[in-house]
Structure formats: C-alpha cells, structure tokens
Amino acid sequence: MKDTNHPLPVIVEQAELILAGLKTTMSLSHNTTIQLWQTFGPLKKSIHNKSNGGSYSVQCYVDDFMSIPFTPETKFVKWAAVAVFNEDDIPKELEVLKIPKGKWAVFPYKGTTRDFGKFAQYVYQEWLPQSGYQLDHRPHYEYMGSDYLGLNHPDAQEDVWIPIV
C-alpha cells in the first residue's frame, strides 16, 4: 500500500495529552482558522507550563464522522492550542482540552493548506479503509513544531495525528 505521493504513517500509542488554547465552531465553507490563530498567538506567551515548543491544531468531529457525508457545511470544533504539563496556572482566557490516550496513525505532511484536502482524501478514503484500522472517536490534530513555516508556505511541515483502533 505504498503510495509514492503520500508517505505511510507511523503507528503510535500516546498517553493523555493536555492542551491549553482557544476553540471555535466552524465548517470548511465558513473557515475561521486564521482568525482563531491570530487571537491565540499573543496569548501563547502567557502560558508558562508548556510541555514542548510546538502548537496543535485540533479538530473535534461528531461521533458519526465517518458514517455521514462530510461536506463543506459540516460543523466541527477547531482548537488552536499548546501542550501543557498540567491544568495549573492556565490563563483565564484559555480553556483546557484533554485528548485521551490511544493509538494514532501519524502522517508527515509537507505543503500548503490548499493541498491538504488531497492529502486528507488519501488518508480517509484510501489509506484508512485498506489499513485494517478503524477511525476512533477522539480528536484529530496536527502538530506544528516551533520552526513551523506557516499555513501557505510550500515547505511547511507538520505531523497529522489520526485516532485509530
């Protein structure tokens, strides 16, 4: 199942992840990701118990995410966040999201947000059905390291974490 255009994932068991950040409800047709990150960016400096230097873009979908058609109007909750050691000393403007422990398919992604749709289509319509795994109902997220180049940079790299069982 090697695809020359899409690398295979690494399968990872991860402990609970505690994030501090901001969230909003959106859809692909009413995408407010840029505004969410513009609001969150200045607040990141006020978080003193970060557990790493990266950032997390998290999507929380409804329980039947894979059994209903996902359209540009489908609503989901999007988070802009950082990982923290614990819930202590989180600035009052932020909320906490705990991502449960579990198994993940971690895909490296390099490119712009414009090309991400093709990548996601490969993951959910080709790789997942052929993998022997099923999608688990936990948040999906992208991890961007501290050296992340930005949404529209062709060399931007991130790790895409897909919850599986």
Side-chain angles (χ1 to χ4, degrees), residues 65-90:
F65 170 63
M66 285 298 284
S67 62
I68 59 170
F70 187 82
T71 72
E73 301 300 323
T74 302
K75 292 197 180 316
F76 57 93
V77 175
K78 175 90 151 197
W79 286 77
V82 296
V84 293
F85 288 110
N86 54 51
E87 296 178 60
D88 300 339
D89 197 31
I90 301 296

Side-chain angles (χ1 to χ4, degrees), residues 9-12 103-107 123 127 133 160-164:
V10 174
I11 306 302
V12 174
K103 189 175 287 190
W104 305 86
V106 183
F107 292 85
V123 170
W127 180 82
Y133 294 104
V160 180
W161 291 65
I162 308 296
I164 56 173

Side-chain angles (χ1 to χ4, degrees), residues 115-137:
D115 296 327
F116 192 82
K118 288 182 239 163
F119 170 77
Q121 185 175 6
Y122 160 75
V123 170
Y124 294 109
Q125 294 179 4
E126 294 179 40
W127 180 82
L128 187 62
Q130 297 173 26
S131 70
Y133 294 104
Q134 293 181 330
L135 199 60
D136 195 13
H137 181 63

